[in-house]
Amino acid sequence: MTFAKSYEPGEYESDIYAAWEASGIFNPKLTTRPVDDDGDGFDDRNDGSRDTYSIVMPPPNANGNLHIGHGLTIALEDSLTRYYRLKGKSAWYIPGADHAGFETWVVYEKNLESHGHSRFEFDRDELYTRVWDFVAEQRGNMELQLRALGASCSWDDLTFTLDENVVDRVYTTFEKMWQDGMIYRGEKLVNYCPKHRTAFADIEVEHKDEHGTLWDIAYDDIIVSTTRPETLFGDTAVAVNPDDPRYKDRIGTTVHLPLTDREIPIIADEHADPEFGTGAVKITPAHDFDDFEVGERHNLERIQVIAEDGTMINVPEPYLGLTAAECRKKVLKDLKEQGLLVGEKKITHSVAHCYKCGTVLEPTLKEQWFIDVERLASTAIKHLENGEIKFYPENKQKVLINYLKGLKDWNISRQIPWGIAIPMFRKIDDIATDEPDWIFDRRTHLQVIEKAGVKYQRDDDTFDTWFSSAHWPIVCTNWTEENFNPYYPLNVMETGADILFAWVARMIMMGLYVTGEVPFKEVYLHGLVLDEHGQKMSKSKGNVINPMDLVARFGSDAFRLGILRGRSAGMNQAFSENSVIAGRNLCNKLWNISRLVQSIVDDKGAGAESRGAFATTGANDEASPVTTGASEEATRGSVTAPYQTLNMGEDWLCRELNSCLDQVEQAMTNYRFAEAVEILYQTIWDKYADWFLETQKIYKNVSLLKTTLETILIALHPFAPFVTEAIWQNLSWTDGFVANAKWPARLEFDPISAEQFENIRIIVSEVRTTLQALPGTNNAKKYSLLYDNDSLVNDNQLIIRTLTKVPTINSLDGAPRGLRLALANHELYLDVPENIVKEYKNNLTERILSVGRELDALNLRMCNPNYVERAPAHLVKETTDQIKEKEALISRLKTELEII
RNA sequence: GGGGAUUUAGCUCAGUUGGCUAGAGCGUACGAUUCACAUUCGUAAGGUCACAGGUUCAAGCCCUGUAAUCCCCACCA
């Protein structure tokens, strides 16, 4: 098998994924048998430790497509998973699919409407079945897209949010809460979307500033202001501030409610702000959240005047049955005619909207199931304050605690059929029995059940999606009360910062309530992926980037590298194609590095033959046989034979690779993905290719080339899984999958020799810089390098010549000539004719000035006695060393200038 | 009103507990061309680290204040 000239992701990616999946390496339950290389009977993978690593996928919508945010999620989560798998952990990345209750329902309802139907033609069970079929039809794309992104998740363990075990667990929790008295049914005001005809939790409401009108209406002698005159019919009081002198003597009296024959009381309540308007406010407990509370305090009647379908009820005949908007017009007109409308002005106020359709939400009185969150929240706060969960970014811990402290009771009832039925049944028979009105029962497939001779009817509502989602870590890991589960709590929960409250908070509360433990040890939150101008992506702006397009054009790895680049926890960040292109280039670079290494191995290595697991044209016989449980022997990446470093460049490379591994490990531990990618990019491109491989064109150390290439392949694998695997399979000497390789060991090298190579690099750079700065072009080919009494240069002529491309390097015979290079410890000259040297004079002067400025700064520091006294000794020494070096350099440059 | 962020090169971002002359990618300029890769190689230019004070031997980093931008929560009769 040969390496094509450039890496073509499309030719490899799907075959590679299929081979991984077939091998079973993504399922830790198939691969957790001991690995025993040295035959001592102990599992010796990763220092013998065989601990677990678990992470769950925030479930994408089962019947949707992945968007750019999913792309980021997968890049982050899969990098972690692959990294810890390579580190030898039993890494379990559990995939999921979301029934996406409301989202899917909205799509389905639109679909129904487009076919001329309405949801009200069907009963709930029928609708549920229909949506189920609808989702089943649409399903599957998302899972294919996850594969295309390289997600190394255990597909056998995919959890759908309506799976039986999920529903069971949700019912168990609900039952426990019911028994613990945390669930109550209450008539409360809820945010109600008249279009979708369902209530929402507070968190789902979107407040937007809107322009509106504030009308002043005379209730006898008292003027009240309102933006919603149509709710006047629901007024049951007028409130004034108890300290407001204007109304002191009116408290306890009544006013006449316009357009009706009712008298309503004037009450004293802090809610009325004396500064606002006239200081008197109408109270409509059934249609306003604040008024509801005032009503509770004063025991006021709640009169619902707007029905769930948005029409007027419980109002005088002329207004009955009008829509709220029509009613408002008529009320205003009638008030005006009676001279009771005494003023109006434009105002801006914030209005609650449905986050899905934008309809103005109607605060509506409704009986719903609520969770008393007091116990859940306070427990969560305690564990959070205890530091049991580490947050990235850190500040989110405080933000979350702050949120939990102000958390209100949680409305878990939704009036949409697509979801998990609430397992509560209401007594039908109005007979006097001691039986409670509501009972818990799991048989939600039945509309009516009978218990102890009494018939009960199922509540038609379903659970808020977040109620079941809150169980995600529990249900994905199959946590049970009975058995110890090494995968729970999860090592990390990775998700979007925007659902910290909606999801993360609820998982923590639920995890603690159900299992007594926090559901994860760490939380990593990512920000939004913005477009290249820093704008939020949206369909209406037309700036949406489809991750699958990028994958198709540049490859999955390029996308992953691109989206991780420069990203840090919790931050919204712009994203552009450029970073993906940079990623694509790195993949191609790595491919060509491997191509060169393989060609050297082929030339020099004896008897090398391809043992790749499969060919580029498709999975071959060697890859597919592993179907039942992975044999680790067959799938684990191999490690090459020992090597010896034979020259300075090799020692240097080993040193740099070790340092790279250190930094990548450090970065991954701290979730600094961008940093890990950055250091790998630098190491592979600048160090491995530009310096080391260039020297290997001279000294071909086959065993070292093999080992070091494996090192960079494995280290990059978490971020660029496909190209590293494609190369691994293409190389003649590697075995198994790089996806299941061992994280590289540190390389042995001679540190003194490694440091020597730094000197070579400095010399080479100086030669290059000078050659570029000299007048004329093609200088490298024109001028030779001369050296005087310099063993480093003498011994490394070949390397220096190769790297600088100068034609010859000679020992200086006789007096110095040409241009002396500005190197402190080396006598090196470029054999440049005198007239050219003179032209270079300005350059030299410039250089002296700049070094002089640096020297001044250093001297200034040393003149400060406090610095010498108080700064750490090694810094002071460093400074003195540098002063010496700069001084030497300057005098050298000056002599040079004098000669000219 | 409460809370959380951001401000560093033309653009997008790093800069971990204070330590040398503030880094990277992209972009720009100049130079290179059969020999792994033009998805390439070499070189360079480009920054008053938002502003003003303070602490310190030393501040992009810590403290105080100011300005601009953004997000979340609550509220707006």
Side-chain angles (χ1 to χ4, degrees):
Chain A
M1 181 160 28
T2 54
F3 280 95
K5 197 171 175 186
S6 62
Y7 173 58
E8 298 299 337
E11 288 182 22
Y12 298 90
E13 289 182 354
S14 57
D15 288 346
I16 285 172
Y17 197 93
W20 282 333
E21 200 176 338
S23 76
I25 58 174
F26 295 163
N27 185 341
K29 284 170 290 181
L30 300 179
T31 57
T32 43
R33 63 193 65 175
V35 178
D36 187 13
D37 283 343
D38 46 12
D40 63 359
F42 290 100
D43 186 339
D44 46 22
R45 193 162 141 164
N46 191 37
D47 307 316
S49 64
R50 235 358 259 260
D51 41 352
T52 60
Y53 185 83
S54 52
I55 177 169
V56 296
M57 186 186 292
N61 189 340
N63 58 314
N65 291 297
L66 299 188
H67 56 65
I68 196 88
H70 293 115
L72 174 59
T73 293
I74 299 305
L76 294 164
E77 293 167 6
D78 193 52
S79 305
L80 286 168
T81 306
R82 287 181 185 271
Y83 172 72
Y84 285 106
R85 186 182 292 119
L86 295 173
K87 289 289 271 182
K89 300 209 182 214
S90 265
W92 196 18
Y93 183 17
I94 309 163
D98 191 5
H99 72 284
F102 187 54
E103 314 285 324
T104 303
W105 174 250
V106 169
V107 173
Y108 180 73
E109 198 175 3
K110 260 187 206 159
N111 184 278
L112 259 189
E113 281 167 8
S114 73
H115 289 85
H117 292 288
S118 148
R119 66 187 275 193
F120 302 104
E121 295 168 26
F122 311 96
D123 75 14
R124 205 203 72 166
D125 292 346
E126 261 180 282
L127 284 167
Y128 185 88
T129 313
R130 293 177 74 111
V131 186
W132 182 279
D133 294 341
F134 175 76
V135 169
E137 248 174 60
Q138 309 275 317
R139 211 177 144 164
N141 268 350
M142 168 288 263
E143 289 164 37
L144 291 174
Q145 290 164 2
L146 289 174
R147 286 176 169 87
L149 289 169
S152 65
C153 48
S154 181
W155 289 103
D156 303 337
D157 302 305
L158 181 120
T159 304
F160 180 50
T161 49
L162 294 179
D163 279 348
E164 209 181 318
N165 66 315
V166 178
V167 177
D168 274 355
R169 173 52 65 185
V170 166
Y171 285 0
T172 303
T173 301
F174 184 83
E175 183 178 19
K176 190 178 169 210
M177 288 181 164
W178 176 244
Q179 286 163 356
D180 285 350
M182 295 160 65
I183 306 275
Y184 65 93
R185 188 162 177 86
E187 186 184 60
K188 275 206 189 181
L189 270 189
V190 292
N191 293 293
Y192 189 83
C193 175
K195 172 162 166 51
H196 293 117
R197 301 215 188 167
T198 183
F200 292 116
D202 297 341
I203 194 118
E204 290 169 309
V205 176
E206 212 169 86
H207 287 273
K208 278 190 249 173
D209 275 350
E210 271 193 3
H211 299 291
T213 310
L214 187 64
W215 287 279
D216 299 328
I217 304 170
Y219 285 25
D220 293 342
D221 57 324
I222 293 184
I223 313 293
V224 298
S225 302
T226 181
T227 53
R228 305 202 54 197
E230 70 277 14
T231 63
L232 165 159
F233 302 111
D235 288 3
T236 48
V238 168
V240 296
N241 194 285
D243 299 328
D244 194 331
R246 289 171 292 181
Y247 303 109
K248 254 208 151 97
D249 47 356
R250 290 301 309 269
I251 295 167
T253 64
T254 61
V255 286
H256 174 247
L257 185 62
L259 311 180
T260 70
D261 48 13
R262 277 167 50 211
E263 294 281 321
I264 54 171
I266 294 169
I267 57 170
D269 196 283
E270 296 287 347
H271 168 63
D273 176 3
E275 307 290 315
F276 189 96
T278 59
V281 51
K282 69 195 256 319
I283 301 297
T284 324
H287 292 284
D288 181 280
F289 288 95
D290 286 328
D291 294 3
F292 181 87
E293 283 177 21
V294 175
E296 289 224 302
R297 285 198 284 274
H298 297 270
N299 218 358
L300 298 175
E301 196 190 344
R302 298 166 193 157
I303 306 174
Q304 185 176 353
V305 294
I306 304 172
E308 288 176 17
D309 62 1
T311 61
M312 303 307 292
I313 51 169
N314 301 326
V315 294
E317 176 58 31
Y319 308 96
L320 203 61
L322 299 179
T323 66
E326 289 164 354
C327 181
R328 175 181 298 187
K329 274 187 200 157
K330 186 165 169 52
V331 164
L332 288 170
K333 181 168 161 272
D334 295 348
L335 285 173
K336 204 166 188 177
E337 280 170 7
Q338 298 185 24
L340 298 174
L341 189 62
V342 295
E344 68 172 77
K345 63 176 175 191
K346 300 286 175 209
I347 57 157
T348 304
H349 61 150
S350 101
V351 181
H353 292 262
C354 171
Y355 77 101
K356 199 71 206 175
C357 65
T359 306
V360 174
L361 295 178
E362 189 64 53
T364 300
L365 214 47
K366 226 174 153 35
E367 277 212 351
Q368 306 271 282
W369 293 108
F370 288 86
I371 296 179
D372 176 353
V373 295
E374 160 54 30
R375 174 175 158 192
L376 292 175
S378 62
T379 309
I381 291 167
K382 202 178 82 200
H383 287 262
L384 285 169
E385 282 176 342
N386 219 5
E388 287 172 45
I389 301 176
K390 202 164 178 203
F391 285 79
Y392 298 85
E394 229 171 2
N395 70 298
K396 296 294 180 190
Q397 179 197 19
K398 267 201 297 189
V399 174
L400 188 53
I401 291 173
N402 191 45
Y403 168 75
L404 288 171
K405 282 185 173 163
L407 192 61
K408 289 192 195 155
D409 284 356
W410 175 11
N411 173 10
I412 52 170
S413 296
R414 294 293 177 279
Q415 292 73 48
I416 49 174
W418 184 233
I420 298 174
I422 294 181
M424 292 300 283
F425 291 74
R426 186 206 288 267
K427 189 167 63 182
I428 299 176
D429 309 309
D430 207 14
I431 44 168
T433 69
D434 291 341
E435 302 302 325
D437 286 345
W438 287 93
I439 60 165
F440 170 89
D441 200 289
R442 287 173 181 263
R443 288 172 290 167
T444 50
H445 58 286
L446 300 174
Q447 297 197 22
V448 177
I449 59 167
E450 201 177 310
K451 227 173 186 177
V454 183
K455 281 189 177 168
Y456 296 87
Q457 173 147 20
R458 186 189 62 201
D459 180 12
D460 250 358
D461 288 355
T462 52
F463 279 112
D464 172 14
T465 317
W466 297 114
F467 184 78
S468 49
S469 305
H471 293 79
W472 199 237
I474 298 168
V475 294
C476 284
T477 57
N478 300 316
W479 180 91
T480 60
E481 283 82 352
E482 295 79 30
N483 300 314
F484 170 73
N485 186 330
Y487 293 100
Y488 185 94
L490 304 170
N491 289 68
V492 66
M493 184 68 227
E494 192 289 324
T495 191
D498 52 334
I499 48 176
L500 174 66
F501 298 155
W503 196 31
V504 178
R506 282 166 170 73
M507 281 191 284
I508 294 170
M509 291 192 287
M510 210 61 88
L512 285 164
Y513 180 69
V514 174
T515 74
E517 279 184 275
V518 292
F520 27 74
K521 297 170 206 158
E522 303 195 312
V523 173
Y524 180 91
L525 297 163
H526 61 254
L528 297 177
V529 181
L530 306 174
D531 80 358
E532 59 181 326
H533 306 295
Q535 298 294 306
K536 204 167 162 175
M537 289 187 199
S538 73
K539 276 183 196 163
S540 54
K541 282 186 209 155
N543 60 350
V544 174
I545 300 174
N546 177 355
M548 291 305 134
D549 285 351
L550 292 173
V551 168
R553 287 167 59 210
F554 302 110
S556 188
D557 300 318
F559 172 75
R560 293 166 58 127
L561 292 166
I563 202 156
L564 290 183
R565 168 155 296 198
R567 208 161 284 274
S568 52
M571 298 283 296
N572 296 349
Q573 201 210 318
F575 170 69
S576 79
E577 213 169 281
N578 284 339
S579 58
V580 179
I581 291 173
R584 189 266 317 257
N585 293 354
L586 178 66
C587 292
N588 190 58
K589 187 74 186 176
L590 187 61
W591 180 263
N592 276 287
I593 286 170
S594 308
R595 193 149 82 103
L596 177 61
V597 171
Q598 182 66 63
S599 75
I600 295 171
V601 170
D602 288 344
D603 286 351
K604 307 253 306 186
E609 60 192 44
S610 174
R611 287 185 288 148
F614 62 94
T616 57
T617 47
N620 76 4
D621 299 342
E622 278 184 82
S624 27
V626 197
T627 45
T628 56
S631 146
E632 289 222 56
E633 290 304 310
T635 59
R636 227 181 84 220
S638 71
V639 176
T640 313
Y643 64 90
Q644 268 193 313
T645 53
L646 301 171
N647 65 53
M648 300 180 317
E650 295 172 3
D651 286 312
W652 175 83
L653 192 259
C654 291
R655 186 183 81 175
E656 297 304 311
L657 286 180
N658 285 354
S659 150
C660 171
L661 292 173
D662 286 346
Q663 292 178 71
V664 170
E665 289 170 10
Q666 180 92 20
M668 290 306 278
T669 306
N670 295 306
Y671 296 94
R672 303 171 76 90
F673 299 91
E675 205 170 292
V677 168
E678 188 71 36
I679 188 73
L680 283 162
Y681 193 101
Q682 303 279 335
T683 303
I684 291 170
W685 205 304
D686 299 350
K687 292 176 176 166
Y688 197 88
D690 291 346
W691 287 98
F692 169 69
L693 269 190
E694 289 305 316
T695 70
Q696 285 294 305
K697 286 176 177 171
I698 311 163
Y699 307 104
K700 298 175 166 55
N701 185 339
V702 170
S703 56
L704 181 73
L705 281 165
K706 286 180 174 177
T707 304
T708 53
L709 179 59
E710 285 172 19
T711 299
I712 59 175
L713 287 173
I714 298 169
L716 188 68
H717 178 77
F719 311 99
F722 289 106
V723 69
T724 49
E725 192 69 80
I727 291 168
W728 192 271
Q729 300 306 328
N730 245 352
L731 294 173
S732 63
W733 72 89
T734 50
D735 214 350
F737 291 109
V738 68
N740 202 31
K742 255 188 198 171
W743 186 252
R746 295 297 185 276
L747 298 156
E748 281 183 30
F749 65 98
D750 175 355
I752 296 171
S753 168
E755 188 53 31
Q756 285 276 355
F757 190 71
E758 285 295 345
N759 280 316
I760 299 276
R761 291 191 348 123
I762 291 166
I763 291 169
V764 169
S765 294
E766 184 62 27
V767 171
R768 284 172 175 171
T769 309
T770 311
L771 285 171
Q772 287 279 342
L774 284 170
T777 60
N778 252 333
N779 290 327
K781 288 186 172 167
K782 287 188 210 156
Y783 310 123
S784 296
L785 194 62
L786 304 168
Y787 66 95
D788 190 17
N789 215 1
D790 191 317
S791 62
L792 187 71
V793 176
N794 186 47
D795 297 346
N796 293 284
Q797 288 191 33
L798 195 51
I799 289 185
I800 295 172
R801 211 174 67 208
T802 309
L803 295 174
T804 59
K805 299 202 170 75
V806 295
T808 53
I809 299 181
N810 298 313
S811 177
L812 186 68
D813 45 348
R817 67 171 189 273
L819 181 66
R820 174 139 66 170
L821 293 179
L823 290 160
N825 302 311
H826 300 278
E827 291 294 322
L828 285 171
Y829 303 84
L830 276 172
D831 198 356
V832 176
E834 217 169 307
N835 61 321
I836 303 241
V837 174
K838 279 181 184 147
E839 274 190 57
Y840 188 69
K841 200 173 158 183
N842 286 342
N843 223 313
L844 221 48
T845 322
E846 187 64 33
R847 190 80 178 265
I848 291 170
L849 288 173
S850 113
V851 178
R853 282 191 294 270
E854 290 164 15
L855 185 61
D856 289 349
L858 292 171
N859 277 324
L860 199 68
R861 195 176 303 152
M862 287 308 291
C863 288
N864 181 346
N866 285 324
Y867 175 71
V868 184
E869 240 170 72
R870 298 193 205 177
H874 72 273
L875 284 176
V876 178
K877 185 178 177 304
E878 214 172 79
T879 310
T880 28
D881 289 351
Q882 279 175 356
I883 287 178
K884 277 183 209 154
E885 206 176 294
K886 303 271 179 214
E887 278 171 348
L889 189 57
I890 285 195
S891 76
R892 174 151 305 215
L893 289 164
K894 279 183 177 160
T895 345
E896 183 66 26
L897 202 58
E898 277 161 24
I899 294 170
I900 300 171

